[in-house]
Amino acid sequence: MSFSNELIYLYWAGITIESEYLDVSKYRTANIDTYECVADNGVGEPLRKSIKVSFMMPVKFDEKFSTVKVKRGESARLVCNATGDQPLTILWTRSNVKLDKLGTNYEIIDTTTDDGFKSELFLQTTQITDAAIYKCFAENEHGKDEKSIKLEVVEVPDGPKNVRVKEVWSRTVSVVWTEPF
């Protein structure tokens, strides 16, 4: 909206903004806000108009990829924090296979937060075979998003096997061995 030689005041939550337009992303504090626009050119009573604005928030992950590294035998916690309007759902996959809420070695715990949803995948005792790309897919009525988590399971390697001297020279020696795995 544009007015020549007129002041436009926007009132919201005790804040006065002198402008020709309102960028609500700067002032938004809730999913529904009421704004009042006042046009005053100094002649007669100012014009006032109140509007109620509803914001629709699609689901979103701020972090799209992460890596979690654990030692074999330790527990692992993979976390997906999604923001957006409720109702919001999250689905987990491991190597593109859907995971149930409860498995033989894992559990998925979902929690509603002030600004969205938190889903945690707990692996109780990790094995080398648990290393994979895990994905969480979030969805609400306004959109979809996904996050990938690479789980790396590491272990201390065994010592070398079959260590033996291959050759001996006057000042050096050549040693060979078999890899443990």
Side-chain angles (χ1 to χ4, degrees):
M1 103 179 61
S2 178
F3 297 90
S4 59
N5 299 325
E6 297 180 10
L7 294 177
I8 305 297
Y9 296 97
L10 299 161
Y11 298 100
W12 164 81
I15 299 172
T16 301
I17 304 154
E18 185 176 337
S19 178
E20 293 181 6
Y21 67 94
L22 173 65
D23 180 358
V24 294
S25 65
K26 293 180 182 178
Y27 304 102
R28 181 175 162 234
T29 60
N31 287 345
I32 300 175
D33 280 330
T34 301
Y35 299 86
E36 181 180 47
C37 180
V38 179
D40 188 0
N41 64 2
V43 179
E45 290 296 314
L47 297 174
R48 296 177 181 275
K49 178 67 179 176
S50 291
I51 59 168
K52 185 179 278 191
V53 179
S54 297
F55 298 92
M56 309 308 180
M57 295 299 296
V59 68
K60 178 182 163 195
F61 291 111
D62 290 330
E63 183 181 48
K64 302 292 185 190
F65 183 83
S66 65
T67 300
V68 174
K69 188 180 286 190
V70 296
K71 291 180 184 174
R72 183 178 59 87
E74 293 182 345
S75 63
R77 183 174 147 241
L78 311 181
V79 180
C80 285
N81 286 310
T83 58
D85 286 344
Q86 298 291 340
L88 192 152
T89 57
I90 293 183
L91 166 80
W92 284 87
T93 64
R94 177 185 179 274
S95 301
N96 297 318
V97 176
K98 182 184 178 285
L99 296 175
D100 294 323
K101 291 283 184 191
L102 187 61
T104 55
N105 188 38
Y106 72 88
E107 179 180 13
I108 297 172
I109 298 175
D110 296 329
T111 309
T112 301
T113 63
D114 289 340
D115 59 350
F117 206 73
K118 178 180 182 179
S119 186
E120 298 175 283
L121 172 60
F122 291 100
L123 291 120
Q124 295 163 357
T125 307
T126 56
Q127 300 301 321
I128 294 297
T129 55
D130 291 321
I133 299 292
Y134 292 80
K135 290 185 181 181
C136 44
F137 297 89
E139 183 174 356
N140 68 7
E141 63 181 307
H142 309 297
K144 299 177 182 180
D145 202 3
E146 73 179 70
K147 176 182 177 178
S148 297
I149 302 171
K150 180 180 181 181
L151 177 63
E152 294 180 1
V153 180
V154 296
E155 64 180 328
V156 178
D158 293 334
K161 296 183 180 183
N162 303 322
V163 178
R164 67 185 193 292
V165 175
K166 182 177 178 183
E167 296 179 76
V168 178
W169 296 281
S170 63
R171 294 184 183 203
T172 59
V173 66
S174 175
V175 179
V176 295
W177 62 85
T178 307
E179 291 183 24
F181 52 85

Coordinates of all heavy atoms in Angstrom, one line a residue, residues 76-167:
A76 N 23.7 -45.5 20.8 CA 23.7 -44.3 19.9 C 22.4 -43.7 20.0 O 21.3 -44.3 20.1 CB 24.0 -44.8 18.5
R77 N 22.4 -42.3 19.8 CA 21.2 -41.5 19.8 C 21.2 -40.7 18.6 O 22.0 -39.8 18.4 CB 21.1 -40.7 21.1 CG 19.9 -39.9 21.3 CD 19.9 -39.2 22.6 NE 19.3 -37.9 22.5 CZ 19.8 -36.7 22.7 NH1 21.1 -36.6 23.1 NH2 19.1 -35.6 22.5
L78 N 20.2 -40.9 17.7 CA 20.0 -40.1 16.5 C 18.8 -39.2 16.7 O 17.8 -39.7 17.1 CB 19.8 -41.0 15.3 CG 20.9 -42.1 15.1 CD1 20.5 -42.9 13.9 CD2 22.3 -41.6 15.1
V79 N 19.0 -37.9 16.5 CA 17.9 -36.9 16.8 C 17.5 -36.1 15.5 O 18.3 -35.6 14.8 CB 18.4 -35.9 17.8 CG1 17.3 -34.9 18.2 CG2 18.9 -36.6 19.1
C80 N 16.2 -36.0 15.4 CA 15.6 -35.2 14.3 C 14.7 -34.2 15.0 O 13.7 -34.5 15.6 CB 14.8 -36.0 13.3 SG 15.8 -36.9 12.2
N81 N 15.0 -32.9 14.9 CA 14.2 -31.8 15.4 C 13.5 -31.1 14.2 O 14.2 -30.5 13.4 CB 15.0 -30.8 16.2 CG 15.5 -31.3 17.5 OD1 14.6 -31.8 18.3 ND2 16.7 -31.2 17.8
A82 N 12.2 -31.2 14.1 CA 11.5 -30.6 13.1 C 10.7 -29.4 13.6 O 10.1 -29.5 14.7 CB 10.6 -31.6 12.4
T83 N 10.6 -28.3 12.9 CA 9.7 -27.2 13.3 C 8.6 -27.1 12.3 O 8.7 -27.5 11.1 CB 10.5 -25.9 13.3 OG1 11.1 -25.6 12.0 CG2 11.6 -25.8 14.3
G84 N 7.4 -26.6 12.7 CA 6.3 -26.5 11.8 C 5.0 -26.7 12.6 O 5.0 -27.1 13.8
D85 N 3.9 -26.5 11.9 CA 2.6 -26.6 12.5 C 2.2 -28.0 12.8 O 2.6 -28.9 12.1 CB 1.5 -26.0 11.6 CG 1.5 -24.5 11.6 OD1 2.1 -23.9 12.5 OD2 0.9 -23.9 10.7
Q86 N 1.5 -28.2 13.9 CA 0.9 -29.5 14.2 C -0.4 -29.7 13.5 O -1.0 -28.7 13.1 CB 0.7 -29.6 15.7 CG 1.9 -29.5 16.6 CD 2.8 -30.7 16.5 OE1 2.5 -31.8 16.0 NE2 4.1 -30.5 16.8
P87 N -0.8 -30.9 13.2 CA -0.1 -32.2 13.5 C 1.0 -32.4 12.6 O 1.0 -32.1 11.4 CB -1.2 -33.2 13.3 CG -2.2 -32.6 12.3 CD -2.1 -31.1 12.5
L88 N 2.1 -33.0 13.1 CA 3.3 -33.2 12.4 C 3.7 -34.6 12.7 O 3.7 -35.1 13.8 CB 4.3 -32.2 13.0 CG 5.7 -32.0 12.3 CD1 6.2 -30.6 12.6 CD2 6.7 -33.0 12.7
T89 N 4.1 -35.4 11.7 CA 4.5 -36.8 11.9 C 6.0 -37.0 11.3 O 6.4 -36.3 10.4 CB 3.6 -37.7 11.1 OG1 3.6 -37.4 9.7 CG2 2.2 -37.7 11.7
I90 N 6.7 -37.9 12.0 CA 8.0 -38.2 11.5 C 8.1 -39.8 11.3 O 7.7 -40.5 12.2 CB 9.1 -37.7 12.5 CG1 9.1 -36.2 12.5 CG2 10.5 -38.3 12.2 CD1 10.2 -35.6 13.4
L91 N 8.7 -40.1 10.2 CA 8.9 -41.5 9.9 C 10.4 -41.7 9.7 O 11.1 -40.9 9.1 CB 8.2 -41.9 8.5 CG 8.6 -43.1 7.8 CD1 7.8 -44.3 8.5 CD2 8.2 -43.1 6.4
W92 N 11.0 -42.8 10.3 CA 12.4 -43.2 10.2 C 12.6 -44.3 9.2 O 11.8 -45.2 9.1 CB 12.9 -43.6 11.5 CG 13.2 -42.5 12.5 CD1 12.2 -42.0 13.4 CD2 14.4 -41.8 12.8 NE1 12.8 -41.0 14.1 CE2 14.2 -40.9 13.8 CE3 15.7 -41.9 12.2 CZ2 15.1 -40.1 14.2 CZ3 16.7 -41.1 12.7 CH2 16.4 -40.2 13.7
T93 N 13.8 -44.2 8.5 CA 14.2 -45.4 7.6 C 15.7 -45.6 7.9 O 16.4 -44.7 8.3 CB 14.0 -45.1 6.1 OG1 14.8 -44.0 5.7 CG2 12.6 -44.8 5.8
R94 N 16.1 -46.9 7.7 CA 17.5 -47.3 7.7 C 17.8 -47.9 6.4 O 17.1 -48.9 6.0 CB 17.7 -48.3 8.8 CG 19.2 -48.8 8.9 CD 19.3 -49.9 9.9 NE 20.7 -50.4 10.0 CZ 21.1 -51.3 9.2 NH1 20.4 -51.9 8.3 NH2 22.4 -51.7 9.3
S95 N 18.7 -47.3 5.6 CA 19.0 -47.8 4.3 C 17.8 -48.0 3.5 O 17.6 -49.0 2.8 CB 19.8 -49.1 4.4 OG 21.0 -48.9 5.1
N96 N 16.9 -47.0 3.5 CA 15.6 -46.9 2.8 C 14.6 -47.9 3.2 O 13.6 -48.2 2.4 CB 15.9 -46.9 1.3 CG 16.7 -45.7 0.8 OD1 16.5 -44.6 1.3 ND2 17.7 -46.0 0.0
V97 N 14.7 -48.6 4.4 CA 13.7 -49.5 4.9 C 13.1 -48.9 6.1 O 13.7 -48.4 7.0 CB 14.4 -50.9 5.2 CG1 13.3 -51.8 5.8 CG2 15.0 -51.5 4.0
K98 N 11.7 -48.8 6.1 CA 11.0 -48.1 7.2 C 11.2 -48.9 8.5 O 11.2 -50.1 8.6 CB 9.5 -48.2 6.9 CG 8.6 -47.5 7.9 CD 7.1 -47.6 7.6 CE 6.2 -47.0 8.6 NZ 6.1 -47.8 9.8
L99 N 11.4 -48.1 9.6 CA 11.6 -48.6 10.9 C 10.3 -48.5 11.7 O 9.6 -47.4 11.7 CB 12.7 -47.9 11.6 CG 14.1 -48.0 11.0 CD1 15.1 -47.1 11.8 CD2 14.6 -49.4 11.0
D100 N 10.0 -49.5 12.4 CA 8.8 -49.5 13.4 C 9.3 -48.7 14.6 O 10.5 -48.4 14.8 CB 8.4 -50.9 13.8 CG 7.9 -51.7 12.6 OD1 7.2 -51.1 11.8 OD2 8.1 -52.9 12.6
K101 N 8.3 -48.3 15.5 CA 8.6 -47.6 16.7 C 9.5 -48.3 17.6 O 10.3 -47.8 18.4 CB 7.4 -47.2 17.4 CG 6.5 -46.1 16.7 CD 7.2 -44.8 16.8 CE 6.3 -43.7 16.2 NZ 6.9 -42.4 16.1
L102 N 9.4 -49.7 17.6 CA 10.2 -50.5 18.5 C 10.8 -51.7 17.8 O 10.0 -52.4 17.1 CB 9.3 -51.0 19.7 CG 10.0 -51.7 20.8 CD1 11.0 -50.8 21.5 CD2 8.9 -52.1 21.8
G103 N 12.1 -51.9 17.9 CA 12.8 -53.0 17.2 C 13.5 -53.8 18.3 O 13.4 -53.5 19.5
T104 N 14.2 -54.8 17.8 CA 15.0 -55.7 18.7 C 16.1 -55.0 19.4 O 16.4 -55.3 20.6 CB 15.5 -56.9 18.0 OG1 16.3 -56.4 16.9 CG2 14.4 -57.8 17.5
N105 N 16.7 -54.0 18.8 CA 17.8 -53.3 19.4 C 17.7 -51.7 19.4 O 18.6 -51.0 19.7 CB 19.1 -53.6 18.7 CG 20.4 -53.1 19.4 OD1 20.5 -53.1 20.6 ND2 21.3 -52.6 18.6
Y106 N 16.5 -51.3 19.1 CA 16.3 -49.8 19.0 C 14.9 -49.4 19.5 O 14.0 -50.3 19.6 CB 16.5 -49.3 17.6 CG 15.4 -49.7 16.6 CD1 14.3 -48.9 16.5 CD2 15.5 -50.8 15.9 CE1 13.3 -49.3 15.6 CE2 14.5 -51.2 15.0 CZ 13.4 -50.4 14.9 OH 12.4 -50.8 14.0
E107 N 14.7 -48.1 19.8 CA 13.4 -47.6 20.1 C 13.3 -46.2 19.6 O 14.3 -45.4 19.6 CB 13.3 -47.6 21.6 CG 12.0 -47.0 22.1 CD 11.8 -47.0 23.7 OE1 12.9 -47.2 24.3 OE2 10.7 -46.8 24.1
I108 N 12.2 -45.7 19.1 CA 12.0 -44.4 18.6 C 11.0 -43.7 19.6 O 10.0 -44.2 19.9 CB 11.3 -44.4 17.2 CG1 12.3 -45.0 16.2 CG2 11.0 -43.0 16.8 CD1 11.7 -45.3 14.8
I109 N 11.5 -42.5 20.1 CA 10.7 -41.8 21.1 C 10.4 -40.4 20.4 O 11.3 -39.7 20.0 CB 11.4 -41.6 22.4 CG1 11.7 -43.0 23.0 CG2 10.7 -40.7 23.3 CD1 12.5 -43.0 24.3
D110 N 9.1 -40.1 20.3 CA 8.7 -38.8 19.8 C 8.1 -37.9 20.9 O 7.4 -38.3 21.8 CB 7.5 -39.0 18.7 CG 8.0 -39.8 17.5 OD1 9.2 -39.7 17.2 OD2 7.2 -40.6 16.9
T111 N 8.5 -36.6 20.7 CA 8.1 -35.6 21.7 C 7.6 -34.3 21.0 O 8.3 -33.8 20.1 CB 9.2 -35.2 22.6 OG1 9.8 -36.4 23.2 CG2 8.8 -34.3 23.8
T112 N 6.4 -33.8 21.4 CA 6.0 -32.5 20.8 C 6.7 -31.4 21.5 O 6.8 -31.4 22.7 CB 4.4 -32.4 21.0 OG1 3.8 -33.5 20.3 CG2 3.9 -31.1 20.4
T113 N 7.2 -30.4 20.8 CA 7.9 -29.3 21.3 C 7.1 -28.0 21.1 O 6.1 -28.1 20.4 CB 9.3 -29.1 20.7 OG1 9.2 -28.9 19.3 CG2 10.1 -30.4 20.9
D114 N 7.5 -26.9 21.6 CA 6.8 -25.6 21.4 C 6.7 -25.2 20.0 O 5.7 -24.6 19.6 CB 7.5 -24.5 22.2 CG 7.3 -24.7 23.7 OD1 6.3 -25.4 24.1 OD2 8.1 -24.1 24.5
D115 N 7.7 -25.5 19.2 CA 7.7 -25.1 17.8 C 7.7 -26.2 16.8 O 7.9 -26.0 15.6 CB 8.9 -24.2 17.5 CG 10.3 -24.9 17.8 OD1 10.3 -26.0 18.4 OD2 11.3 -24.3 17.4
G116 N 7.4 -27.5 17.3 CA 7.4 -28.6 16.3 C 7.4 -29.9 17.0 O 6.5 -30.3 17.8
F117 N 8.4 -30.7 16.6 CA 8.4 -32.1 17.0 C 9.9 -32.6 17.1 O 10.7 -32.2 16.3 CB 7.7 -32.9 15.9 CG 7.1 -34.2 16.3 CD1 5.9 -34.2 17.1 CD2 7.6 -35.4 15.9 CE1 5.4 -35.4 17.4 CE2 7.1 -36.6 16.2 CZ 5.9 -36.6 17.0
K118 N 10.2 -33.4 18.1 CA 11.5 -34.0 18.3 C 11.3 -35.5 18.2 O 10.5 -36.1 19.0 CB 12.1 -33.6 19.6 CG 13.4 -34.2 19.9 CD 13.9 -33.6 21.2 CE 15.3 -34.1 21.6 NZ 15.7 -33.6 22.9
S119 N 12.1 -36.2 17.4 CA 12.1 -37.6 17.3 C 13.5 -38.2 17.5 O 14.4 -37.7 16.9 CB 11.5 -38.1 15.9 OG 11.4 -39.5 15.9
E120 N 13.6 -39.1 18.4 CA 14.9 -39.7 18.7 C 14.9 -41.2 18.5 O 14.0 -41.9 18.9 CB 15.2 -39.4 20.2 CG 15.4 -37.9 20.5 CD 15.6 -37.7 22.0 OE1 14.6 -37.8 22.8 OE2 16.7 -37.4 22.4
L121 N 15.9 -41.7 17.8 CA 16.1 -43.1 17.6 C 17.3 -43.5 18.5 O 18.4 -43.1 18.3 CB 16.5 -43.3 16.1 CG 16.9 -44.7 15.7 CD1 15.8 -45.8 16.0 CD2 17.2 -44.8 14.2
F122 N 17.0 -44.4 19.5 CA 18.0 -44.9 20.4 C 18.4 -46.3 20.0 O 17.5 -47.2 19.9 CB 17.4 -45.0 21.8 CG 17.2 -43.6 22.4 CD1 16.0 -43.0 22.5 CD2 18.3 -42.9 23.0 CE1 15.8 -41.8 23.0 CE2 18.1 -41.7 23.5 CZ 16.9 -41.1 23.6
L123 N 19.6 -46.5 19.7 CA 20.2 -47.9 19.5 C 20.9 -48.3 20.7 O 21.8 -47.6 21.2 CB 21.1 -47.9 18.3 CG 20.5 -47.6 16.9 CD1 21.0 -46.4 16.3 CD2 20.6 -48.8 16.1
Q124 N 20.4 -49.4 21.3 CA 20.9 -49.8 22.7 C 22.4 -50.3 22.6 O 23.2 -49.8 23.4 CB 20.0 -50.9 23.2 CG 18.6 -50.3 23.5 CD 17.6 -51.4 23.7 OE1 17.9 -52.6 23.6 NE2 16.4 -51.0 24.0
T125 N 22.7 -51.2 21.8 CA 24.1 -51.7 21.7 C 24.5 -51.8 20.3 O 24.0 -52.7 19.6 CB 24.2 -53.1 22.4 OG1 23.7 -53.1 23.7 CG2 25.6 -53.6 22.4
T126 N 25.3 -50.9 19.8 CA 25.6 -50.8 18.4 C 26.6 -51.9 17.9 O 27.5 -52.3 18.7 CB 26.2 -49.5 18.0 OG1 27.4 -49.2 18.8 CG2 25.2 -48.3 18.2
Q127 N 26.3 -52.4 16.7 CA 27.2 -53.4 16.1 C 27.7 -52.8 14.8 O 27.1 -51.8 14.3 CB 26.5 -54.7 15.8 CG 25.9 -55.4 17.1 CD 27.0 -55.7 18.1 OE1 28.1 -56.1 17.7 NE2 26.7 -55.5 19.3
I128 N 28.7 -53.3 14.2 CA 29.2 -52.8 12.9 C 28.1 -52.8 11.9 O 28.0 -51.9 11.0 CB 30.4 -53.7 12.4 CG1 31.6 -53.5 13.3 CG2 30.8 -53.4 11.0 CD1 32.2 -52.1 13.4
T129 N 27.2 -53.8 11.9 CA 26.1 -53.9 11.0 C 25.0 -52.7 11.1 O 24.2 -52.5 10.2 CB 25.3 -55.2 11.1 OG1 24.9 -55.4 12.4 CG2 26.3 -56.3 10.7
D130 N 25.1 -52.0 12.2 CA 24.2 -50.8 12.4 C 24.6 -49.6 11.7 O 23.9 -48.7 11.5 CB 24.1 -50.5 13.9 CG 23.3 -51.5 14.7 OD1 22.4 -52.1 14.2 OD2 23.8 -51.8 15.9
A131 N 25.9 -49.6 11.2 CA 26.4 -48.5 10.4 C 25.6 -48.3 9.1 O 25.5 -49.3 8.4 CB 27.9 -48.6 10.1
A132 N 25.0 -47.2 8.9 CA 24.1 -47.0 7.7 C 23.7 -45.5 7.7 O 24.1 -44.7 8.5 CB 22.9 -47.9 7.8
I133 N 23.0 -45.2 6.6 CA 22.4 -43.9 6.5 C 20.9 -44.0 7.0 O 20.1 -44.8 6.5 CB 22.3 -43.4 5.0 CG1 23.7 -43.2 4.5 CG2 21.6 -42.1 4.9 CD1 24.6 -42.1 5.1
Y134 N 20.6 -43.3 8.1 CA 19.3 -43.2 8.6 C 18.6 -41.9 8.2 O 19.3 -40.9 8.1 CB 19.3 -43.3 10.2 CG 19.8 -44.6 10.7 CD1 21.2 -44.9 10.8 CD2 18.9 -45.5 11.2 CE1 21.6 -46.1 11.3 CE2 19.4 -46.8 11.7 CZ 20.7 -47.0 11.7 OH 21.1 -48.2 12.2
K135 N 17.4 -42.0 7.8 CA 16.7 -40.8 7.4 C 15.4 -40.6 8.2 O 14.7 -41.6 8.6 CB 16.3 -40.9 5.9 CG 17.5 -40.8 5.0 CD 17.0 -40.7 3.5 CE 18.2 -40.6 2.6 NZ 17.8 -40.6 1.2
C136 N 15.1 -39.4 8.5 CA 13.8 -39.1 9.1 C 13.0 -38.2 8.2 O 13.6 -37.2 7.7 CB 13.9 -38.5 10.5 SG 15.1 -37.2 10.7
F137 N 11.8 -38.5 7.9 CA 10.9 -37.8 7.0 C 9.8 -37.2 7.8 O 9.1 -37.9 8.5 CB 10.3 -38.8 6.0 CG 11.3 -39.4 5.1 CD1 11.9 -40.6 5.4 CD2 11.7 -38.9 3.9 CE1 12.8 -41.3 4.6 CE2 12.6 -39.5 3.0 CZ 13.2 -40.7 3.4
A138 N 9.7 -35.9 7.7 CA 8.7 -35.2 8.5 C 7.6 -34.6 7.5 O 7.9 -34.2 6.4 CB 9.3 -34.0 9.3
E139 N 6.4 -34.6 8.0 CA 5.3 -34.1 7.1 C 4.2 -33.4 8.0 O 3.9 -33.9 9.1 CB 4.7 -35.2 6.3 CG 3.6 -34.8 5.4 CD 3.2 -36.0 4.5 OE1 3.7 -37.1 4.6 OE2 2.2 -35.8 3.7
N140 N 3.7 -32.3 7.5 CA 2.4 -31.7 8.0 C 1.6 -31.3 6.9 O 2.0 -31.5 5.7 CB 2.7 -30.6 9.1 CG 3.3 -29.4 8.5 OD1 3.4 -29.2 7.2 ND2 3.7 -28.4 9.3
E141 N 0.5 -30.7 7.1 CA -0.4 -30.3 6.0 C 0.1 -29.3 5.1 O -0.4 -29.0 4.0 CB -1.8 -29.9 6.5 CG -1.8 -28.7 7.4 CD -3.2 -28.3 7.9 OE1 -4.1 -28.2 7.1 OE2 -3.3 -28.2 9.1
H142 N 1.2 -28.6 5.5 CA 1.8 -27.5 4.7 C 3.0 -27.9 3.9 O 3.6 -27.1 3.2 CB 2.0 -26.3 5.6 CG 0.9 -25.9 6.4 ND1 -0.3 -25.5 5.9 CD2 0.7 -25.9 7.7 CE1 -1.2 -25.2 6.8 NE2 -0.6 -25.5 8.0
G143 N 3.6 -29.1 4.2 CA 4.8 -29.5 3.5 C 5.5 -30.7 4.0 O 5.0 -31.3 5.0
K144 N 6.6 -31.0 3.4 CA 7.4 -32.2 3.8 C 8.9 -31.8 3.8 O 9.3 -30.8 3.2 CB 7.3 -33.3 2.7 CG 5.9 -33.9 2.5 CD 6.0 -34.9 1.4 CE 4.6 -35.4 1.2 NZ 4.6 -36.4 0.1
D145 N 9.7 -32.5 4.6 CA 11.1 -32.3 4.6 C 11.8 -33.6 5.1 O 11.1 -34.5 5.6 CB 11.5 -31.1 5.6 CG 12.9 -30.5 5.3 OD1 13.5 -31.0 4.3 OD2 13.3 -29.6 6.0
E146 N 13.1 -33.7 4.9 CA 13.8 -34.9 5.3 C 15.2 -34.5 5.8 O 15.8 -33.5 5.5 CB 13.9 -35.9 4.3 CG 14.8 -35.6 3.1 CD 14.9 -36.8 2.1 OE1 13.9 -36.9 1.4 OE2 15.9 -37.4 2.0
K147 N 15.7 -35.4 6.7 CA 17.1 -35.2 7.2 C 17.8 -36.6 7.2 O 17.2 -37.6 7.4 CB 17.0 -34.7 8.7 CG 18.4 -34.7 9.4 CD 18.3 -34.2 10.8 CE 19.7 -34.3 11.4 NZ 19.7 -33.8 12.8
S148 N 19.1 -36.6 6.8 CA 19.8 -37.8 6.8 C 20.9 -37.8 7.9 O 21.5 -36.7 8.2 CB 20.6 -37.9 5.4 OG 19.6 -38.0 4.4
I149 N 21.1 -38.9 8.5 CA 22.1 -39.1 9.6 C 22.9 -40.3 9.3 O 22.4 -41.4 9.1 CB 21.4 -39.3 11.0 CG1 20.5 -38.1 11.3 CG2 22.5 -39.4 12.0 CD1 19.7 -38.3 12.5
K150 N 24.2 -40.1 9.1 CA 25.1 -41.2 8.9 C 25.6 -41.7 10.2 O 26.2 -40.9 11.0 CB 26.3 -40.7 8.0 CG 27.3 -41.8 7.7 CD 28.4 -41.3 6.8 CE 29.4 -42.4 6.5 NZ 30.5 -41.8 5.7
L151 N 25.4 -43.0 10.5 CA 25.8 -43.6 11.7 C 27.1 -44.4 11.4 O 27.1 -45.3 10.5 CB 24.8 -44.5 12.3 CG 25.3 -45.3 13.6 CD1 25.6 -44.3 14.7 CD2 24.2 -46.2 14.1
E152 N 28.2 -44.0 12.0 CA 29.5 -44.7 11.9 C 29.7 -45.5 13.1 O 29.7 -44.9 14.2 CB 30.6 -43.7 11.6 CG 30.5 -43.0 10.3 CD 31.6 -42.0 10.0 OE1 32.5 -41.9 10.9 OE2 31.6 -41.4 9.0
V153 N 29.9 -46.8 13.0 CA 30.3 -47.6 14.2 C 31.7 -48.1 14.0 O 32.0 -48.7 13.0 CB 29.3 -48.8 14.3 CG1 29.7 -49.7 15.5 CG2 27.8 -48.4 14.4
V154 N 32.5 -47.7 14.9 CA 34.0 -48.0 14.8 C 34.4 -48.9 15.9 O 33.7 -49.0 17.0 CB 34.8 -46.7 14.9 CG1 34.5 -45.8 13.7 CG2 34.6 -45.9 16.2
E155 N 35.5 -49.6 15.7 CA 36.0 -50.5 16.7 C 37.5 -50.5 16.7 O 38.1 -50.3 15.6 CB 35.5 -51.9 16.6 CG 35.8 -52.7 15.3 CD 35.2 -54.1 15.3 OE1 35.1 -54.7 16.4 OE2 34.9 -54.5 14.2
V156 N 38.1 -50.8 17.8 CA 39.6 -50.9 17.8 C 40.0 -52.2 17.1 O 39.5 -53.2 17.4 CB 40.1 -50.9 19.3 CG1 41.6 -51.1 19.3 CG2 39.6 -49.7 20.0
P157 N 40.9 -52.0 16.1 CA 41.2 -53.2 15.4 C 42.1 -54.2 16.2 O 42.8 -53.8 17.1 CB 42.1 -52.7 14.2 CG 42.6 -51.4 14.7 CD 41.6 -50.8 15.6
D158 N 42.0 -55.4 15.9 CA 42.9 -56.4 16.5 C 44.3 -56.2 16.1 O 44.6 -55.6 15.0 CB 42.5 -57.9 16.1 CG 41.1 -58.2 16.7 OD1 40.7 -57.7 17.7 OD2 40.4 -59.1 16.0
G159 N 45.2 -56.7 16.8 CA 46.6 -56.6 16.5 C 47.0 -57.4 15.2 O 46.2 -58.3 14.9
P160 N 48.1 -57.2 14.6 CA 48.5 -58.0 13.4 C 48.7 -59.4 13.8 O 49.1 -59.8 14.9 CB 49.8 -57.3 13.0 CG 50.3 -56.5 14.1 CD 49.1 -56.2 15.0
K161 N 48.5 -60.3 12.9 CA 48.7 -61.7 13.1 C 49.9 -62.2 12.2 O 50.2 -61.7 11.2 CB 47.4 -62.5 12.7 CG 46.2 -62.1 13.6 CD 45.0 -62.9 13.2 CE 43.9 -62.5 14.1 NZ 42.7 -63.3 13.9
N162 N 50.4 -63.3 12.7 CA 51.5 -64.0 11.9 C 52.7 -63.0 11.6 O 53.2 -63.0 10.5 CB 51.0 -64.6 10.6 CG 49.9 -65.6 10.9 OD1 49.9 -66.4 11.8 ND2 48.9 -65.6 10.0
V163 N 53.1 -62.3 12.6 CA 54.2 -61.4 12.5 C 55.5 -62.2 12.3 O 55.8 -63.1 13.1 CB 54.3 -60.4 13.7 CG1 55.5 -59.5 13.5 CG2 53.1 -59.6 13.9
R164 N 56.3 -61.9 11.3 CA 57.6 -62.6 11.1 C 58.6 -61.7 10.4 O 58.2 -60.8 9.7 CB 57.4 -63.9 10.4 CG 56.9 -63.8 9.0 CD 56.6 -65.2 8.4 NE 56.5 -65.1 7.0 CZ 55.5 -64.6 6.3 NH1 54.5 -63.9 6.9 NH2 55.4 -64.6 5.0
V165 N 59.8 -62.0 10.6 CA 60.9 -61.3 9.9 C 61.1 -61.9 8.5 O 61.2 -63.1 8.3 CB 62.2 -61.4 10.7 CG1 63.4 -60.8 9.9 CG2 62.1 -60.8 12.1
K166 N 61.0 -61.0 7.5 CA 61.1 -61.5 6.1 C 62.6 -61.5 5.7 O 63.1 -62.4 5.1 CB 60.3 -60.6 5.2 CG 60.3 -61.0 3.8 CD 59.4 -60.2 2.9 CE 59.5 -60.6 1.5 NZ 58.7 -59.8 0.6
E167 N 63.3 -60.4 5.9 CA 64.7 -60.2 5.5 C 65.5 -59.5 6.6 O 64.9 -58.6 7.3 CB 64.8 -59.5 4.2 CG 64.2 -60.2 3.0 CD 64.3 -59.4 1.7 OE1 65.5 -59.4 1.2 OE2 63.3 -58.8 1.3

